Amino acid sequence: AQSVTQLGSHVSVSEGALVLLRCNYSSSVPPYLFWYVQYPNQGLQLLLKYTSAATLVKGINGFEAEFKKSETSFHLTKPSAHMSDAAEYFCAVSEGFNKFYFGSGTKLNVKP
Amino acid sequence: DSGVTQTPKHLITATGQRVTLRCSPRSGDLSVYWYQQSLDQGLQFLIQYYNGEERAKGNILERFSAQQFPDLHSELNLSSLELGDSALYFCASSSHERDTEAFFGQGTRLTVV
C-alpha cells in the first residue's frame, strides 16, 4: 500500500527566504508523484508532477521538486518565498489505476 | 477550470438533516474520489468510485454514502447531520493513467447549524 508523509503541518518563512516542504512516500511500485497547492477557500490545483522523466521537476510559480529514490523523498522547494505563496501544499502519489494517496498537507506562512 | 463540477457551492442545513452533494467528473474520467476537509482533520479521503463501482473506502462514516451513476456523475449523501460534519467536501476525478494527475472541483462548503 502507498502512503505519503509530509513532515511539518506548518512551515513559516520570511519573504525572500528559501521554501522547503518535505514529502516522503512509500511505494511498492515506481511512483508517480505530485504536489498540489490550495489557496484559501479554493480547490486543489496541480503545482507539478514527477512521471519518471527528469528527477528534478519544475512547476508553476517558481517551485520545483526533486525525486530521490534512495531517500523515497519528493521535497518541494522555491529559492525565494513570496507573500502570494502562502497556502496549503499537498504531496500525493499515484499507484495507477485510479489510486491516489494524499499527504496531510503543510500550511506555508510567509512573513513580511 | 479543472473540468470537475461540484454543486452546490455552499449548503447550510440543520442538525439531523440529510443532504446530497453532486459531482460531475472531467470528461472521459471514469474515477471519482470524495474528500472531506476540516480544520481539525485536514484532507480526509472518503471514498472512490470507478466506472460505477466502489473501488476504495477511506474514513467514511456509516451515515455517509455515495454512488456513481451510469453517466459517471457521483453523489455523496450525508444523513443525520451533526455539527462536526461541517466541512469542505471535495470531489476529484482521474483517468486510469498513472502519470495523470487527479483534478479537483472547487468543493462544497457544508455548514451544519
Side-chain angles (χ1 to χ4, degrees):
Chain A
Q2 301 275 2
S3 73
V4 180
T5 303
Q6 289 185 241
L7 294 176
S9 58
H10 291 80
V11 169
S12 187
V13 301
S14 297
E15 192 173 21
L18 171 71
V19 175
L20 171 60
L21 305 182
R22 299 177 187 275
C23 172
N24 288 87
Y25 66 91
S26 65
S27 172
S28 57
V29 297
Y32 287 71
L33 298 157
F34 307 81
W35 274 100
Y36 285 78
V37 60
Q38 184 185 26
Y39 297 103
N41 300 312
Q42 295 189 26
L44 279 71
Q45 54 183 280
L46 184 71
L47 201 54
L48 51 80
K49 64 181 181 182
Y50 165 76
T51 58
S52 76
T55 57
L56 183 62
V57 181
K58 294 189 184 300
I60 60 172
N61 302 335
F63 283 93
E64 61 184 36
E66 185 173 10
F67 170 67
K68 291 187 177 180
K69 183 178 179 180
S70 61
E71 298 177 9
T72 60
S73 69
F74 190 57
H75 301 332
L76 181 70
T77 60
K78 182 173 180 177
S80 177
H82 191 272
M83 296 297 292
S84 61
D85 295 327
E88 189 160 15
Y89 293 81
F90 294 89
C91 182
V93 61
S94 168
E95 196 176 43
F97 298 102
N98 304 281
K99 289 186 178 179
F100 265 84
Y101 303 90
F102 281 85
S104 54
T106 298
K107 288 186 178 175
L108 176 65
N109 177 47
V110 181
K111 299 175 290 186
Chain B
D1 182 6
S2 67
V4 178
T5 304
Q6 288 187 250
T7 56
K9 286 188 170 52
H10 301 275
L11 198 49
I12 301 175
T13 190
T15 54
Q17 295 298 304
R18 173 189 169 93
V19 297
T20 297
L21 313 184
R22 183 188 168 101
C23 170
S24 293
R26 205 173 59 114
S27 177
D29 286 352
L30 299 179
S31 197
V32 169
Y33 307 77
W34 285 98
Y35 293 87
Q36 178 194 58
Q37 187 178 40
S38 59
L39 285 175
D40 55 343
Q41 300 268 358
L43 190 68
Q44 298 278 320
F45 168 65
L46 296 179
I47 197 164
Q48 178 203 352
Y49 278 82
Y50 176 75
N51 202 21
E53 293 188 1
E54 183 183 304
R55 176 61 64 90
K57 200 175 250 193
N59 300 322
I60 188 166
L61 300 172
E62 286 191 10
R63 299 184 285 109
F64 296 180
S65 65
Q67 54 184 328
Q68 186 179 28
F69 295 86
D71 66 352
L72 300 178
H73 91 272
S74 178
E75 292 181 356
L76 179 67
N77 301 296
L78 314 175
S79 61
S80 303
L81 284 167
E82 302 174 0
L83 295 178
D85 297 327
S86 297
L88 199 50
Y89 291 84
F90 284 108
C91 167
S93 74
S94 73
S95 74
H96 66 281
E97 301 293 342
R98 291 179 59 206
D99 62 349
T100 304
E101 63 267 32
F103 293 84
F104 278 78
Q106 291 297 299
T108 293
R109 181 168 294 282
L110 173 67
T111 304
V112 183
V113 298

